Amino acid sequence: MFLHTCVSLNCVRCNSVEKKIYVHLNYKIPCVRLLNATHQIGCQSSLSGNVGVLHVLESEENLDWVLRSGPNPPYMVILEYRLFTRSIMMKLKNGSGRVAGVAVVAPNTNPAAGFSPHNTCPNENTGVYTEKYDPTMAHCNVTVWNPLGNGLSYEEFDFPIFSLKDDNETQVIRQCYYDHNHVVNGSAPQYPLCAMQLYSHMSAVTDTATCMRRNDINFSLNPDMVCDPLGDFNVWASTRPINNTAKGHKNGESVVIAAARLDSRSFFFDIAPGAESGVSGFVTLLAAAHALRNVTQEAHLNRTILYTFFQGETFDYIGSSRMVYDMEKNQFAVDLDNVHSVLEIGQVGLRPNSTLWFHSDPVSRRNNSVNEEVNELIKKLRAAATGLNVSVEEPGFSQPLPPSSFQRFLRARPIPGVVIEDHKSAFTNRFYESMYDNGEYLNISYPPNMTPEEQLEHITDTARALTEVATMVARALYAQAGGAESQLSSINADPQIVRLSDSYLWSNRFIFIDNICCSFLITFKFLPANLYVGVAVQQSEPTYLVQHLLANLTGSNRFISPSPPRIFSCFLPQLYYYFWVQGAAPPNSTERQGFCVRSTVRLSKALSPAFDLHQYTSTDYSTWTESRWKPITGRIFLVASHDLEMLTLGVGIGILLTSLLLTYFFSSKAEILFSSGREPATATY
């Protein structure tokens, strides 16, 4: 008991000493390592973490202190967001011998200037526009879609880069710098200096082929994997039940695919709001699907509408390429012969002068039958926009398709299709695939002093605008599926459903989803969504969310039950997907009324075919993997001068040697030193 108490007291003392030495960073989002067929990108620290003296960079001219004149390298550079540019980051990269790492202070509001760490030509090597398809349109020769792209997300840095929130913790870091490291009149600061340690060591190196090979050579019972393929699940549903058990071609079935993407990314691992690039499109499609629920159940349409939400499109079209591959191999519910046309909703959140653009592929339209179908679809879209606050236009006939999932279908065969965007040529999105592509950028805001309950009823200007787009999409899909033109005016999207864009991008989305979709998502955090696709070993939050939202918005309630039924014995799992919903409590009651929802919602793999085929150097499919890592940590502390450290080490070694000599001396002379105190062995009493 005494020993246990001593150990406990020693642990408490160790913890208290550790807390006095280090200040740990709570909010820290790292840049992580990704790999593909040819190389690696991203950031990492050394195996023991990178340590450097703090330096707050105040201007680009101040870089000389970090890269050349500063007397205490390596430095851990603190960057304000306005200095997080390609020019500065590449200078730090090239001077990495004096740079231990970078911490970027994320602003609380978006910057005025545009910023996109993505490439200027997204997915240029895996889209339809190759040298073989049409060399004049390959590599964005006609249109540079993302002119603000600086390519930082595709650079490799051999030091860690973290994002920090601009809050009290960041103020502590700044204060530590100004108290100990601040340069005054060009003179070097005196020790002790404020230092930072960042730990984000990555296990994978070189490329995807290398890391996947290392995954396969583990012989232990618990193999130590070094990387995982990027991937998730596509979400799809149909207006008529399709037998999902019998794969491949369906005789007499004609399908209109309505598509949107689910994912986004930014430079940092866990920050991918994707407001304009992702959310605006898939929320519009969800609202359109809801608007069509009743009318498609009542009418007998010639064609089936297939709502598809693709995952992993940011990384060389993972989701759409997988669906096309499955259709070609008869591993999906329908095949490409069943596909009549495609209507894709892209970036539609920013509409200058309320204009939407209908993009199509000029190469496939050289085929007369494809051209006629595209013209017919555009005609229906124009008719659907009549009476709405939406003006629609077509770009020039020579304008290629923007980056879109539809391109992967065109790689397989000529299919009629249109991609709806809010830009004619270059993106209007100034923050494409960045941390700033958020709700603020879409002008999603609420009047001051509004309670969360009042926010649930408030319709923002963005929600109103997307409602108009969703109504147009729903009407056009209905007409494309063979619906009567006389019914179009009765099809209208619900602005409360479109409010998902507001709720999904802000921290109140849990409350709103609880209200709309009957409280089955009880584990979600009060945080803005992260649309990064993640690795294929688990289903992401956006996928789970959209799967159940789509089921609620397009399905039907079968029966009310206070608790989940044990089995669905009388149902048809090959045609429908069933799940039990906790339900909402009626007025003046605390007991929720659960019910069963029947829908046609399904999940299909969004994993690149390259990993099933073991073609890790494929040029046809995505080969992106994510490195595994140990826990991400960061902390600041005071560091003594090198001379003082050497002196302390020398004194410690001297004390150790002295103690060893004394121990040897006393041990060798023990018989002499301690013999006088002994009593004779024959002594008696």
Side-chain angles (χ1 to χ4, degrees), residues 640-657:
S641 68
H642 184 71
D643 294 339
L644 180 58
E645 289 176 339
M646 291 299 100
L647 176 61
T648 304
L649 178 62
V651 171
I653 294 174
I655 293 173
L656 174 63
L657 294 176

Side-chain angles (χ1 to χ4, degrees), residues 337-354:
D337 289 334
N338 293 124
V339 178
H340 173 268
S341 54
V342 176
L343 178 61
E344 182 173 351
I345 299 93
Q347 302 181 93
V348 293
L350 299 169
R351 294 186 288 129
N353 302 319
S354 299

Side-chain angles (χ1 to χ4, degrees), residues 13-134:
R13 288 170 184 163
C14 291
N15 287 336
S16 62
V17 171
E18 195 266 350
K19 289 180 180 179
K20 290 179 180 179
I21 296 175
Y22 301 105
V23 176
H24 290 270
L25 306 178
N26 295 317
Y27 181 89
K28 50 194 180 300
I29 306 297
C31 155
V32 302
R33 172 168 290 170
L34 302 176
L35 310 96
N36 66 6
T38 57
H39 63 293
Q40 62 187 23
I41 62 173
C43 325
Q44 79 150 356
S45 72
S46 65
L47 186 60
S48 58
N50 286 25
V51 179
V53 174
L54 274 180
H55 183 80
V56 176
L57 194 67
E58 297 173 342
S59 66
E60 188 167 358
E61 292 73 24
N62 191 230
L63 273 174
D64 185 71
W65 182 268
V66 175
L67 301 178
R68 282 177 286 275
S69 61
N72 303 305
Y75 287 97
M76 193 68 69
V77 182
I78 308 298
L79 278 182
E80 301 294 336
Y81 72 91
R82 59 185 175 81
L83 298 176
F84 185 49
T85 63
R86 181 176 179 84
S87 171
I88 290 178
M89 290 305 299
M90 296 310 292
K91 290 178 182 178
L92 292 174
K93 175 182 176 179
N94 296 330
S96 58
R98 292 175 57 91
V99 178
V102 175
V104 180
V105 181
N108 293 322
T109 58
N110 284 358
F115 175 81
S116 173
H118 208 73
N119 290 332
T120 57
C121 188
N123 293 348
E124 65 174 305
N125 296 317
T126 49
V128 69
Y129 298 111
T130 61
E131 298 289 344
K132 181 179 178 181
Y133 191 73
D134 192 318

Side-chain angles (χ1 to χ4, degrees), residues 222-236:
N222 297 308
D224 188 14
M225 310 293 282
V226 297
C227 70
D228 298 287
L230 293 185
D232 198 339
F233 291 92
N234 297 323
V235 183
W236 62 274

Side-chain angles (χ1 to χ4, degrees), residues 242-243 246-257 306 323-341 409 412-413 415:
I242 298 176
N243 190 337
K247 306 293 185 180
H249 184 73
K250 299 292 189 297
N251 291 325
E253 187 70 77
S254 181
V255 168
V256 177
I257 294 179
L306 190 72
M323 182 172 285
V324 171
Y325 173 83
D326 287 344
M327 287 181 175
E328 290 177 322
K329 301 299 180 181
N330 291 324
Q331 296 174 4
F332 192 70
V334 295
D335 66 3
L336 289 173
D337 289 334
N338 293 124
V339 178
H340 173 268
S341 54
F409 286 86
R413 63 174 61 181
I415 295 176

Side-chain angles (χ1 to χ4, degrees), residues 470-654:
T471 298
M472 180 196 72
V473 169
R475 292 176 179 179
L477 286 172
Y478 183 75
Q480 185 71 354
E485 186 176 345
S486 58
Q487 296 293 321
L488 295 184
S489 60
S490 64
I491 300 174
N492 294 285
D494 184 352
Q496 283 290 350
I497 301 300
V498 181
R499 275 206 64 258
L500 284 169
S501 60
D502 306 2
S503 301
Y504 204 82
L505 294 167
W506 295 108
S507 59
N508 65 332
R509 79 179 189 279
F510 172 88
I511 302 173
F512 178 68
I513 291 168
D514 179 87
N515 185 54
I516 290 291
C517 293
C518 312
S519 310
F520 58 86
L521 300 175
I522 59 175
T523 61
F524 282 92
K525 301 176 181 178
F526 289 81
L527 295 171
N530 173 31
L531 297 187
Y532 175 66
V533 61
V535 295
V537 296
Q538 59 187 9
Q539 183 179 349
S540 68
E541 176 186 313
T543 299
Y544 183 83
L545 178 64
V546 169
Q547 175 193 5
H548 289 85
L549 283 174
L550 184 61
N552 271 275
L553 297 176
T554 61
S556 58
N557 302 344
R558 305 310 298 170
F559 60 84
I560 296 177
S561 171
S563 61
R566 293 181 181 273
I567 57 173
F568 298 107
S569 58
C570 60
F571 298 154
L572 300 171
Q574 69 272 26
L575 297 178
Y576 297 101
Y577 167 67
Y578 303 87
F579 71 99
W580 183 82
V581 176
Q582 185 178 357
N588 302 322
S589 175
T590 58
E591 183 176 351
R592 295 177 180 268
Q593 292 185 351
F595 55 91
C596 172
V597 172
R598 186 185 76 174
S599 72
T600 60
V601 173
R602 302 284 182 177
L603 296 179
S604 63
K605 280 203 300 186
L607 174 67
S608 171
F611 296 100
D612 285 350
L613 300 171
H614 301 285
Q615 297 177 357
Y616 305 132
T617 58
S618 172
T619 57
D620 293 324
Y621 300 110
S622 171
T623 56
W624 285 105
T625 54
E626 176 187 284
S627 173
R628 291 197 177 187
W629 60 82
K630 297 294 170 52
I632 304 294
T633 61
R635 59 187 182 180
I636 62 172
F637 53 92
L638 294 180
V639 61
S641 68
H642 184 71
D643 294 339
L644 180 58
E645 289 176 339
M646 291 299 100
L647 176 61
T648 304
L649 178 62
V651 171
I653 294 174

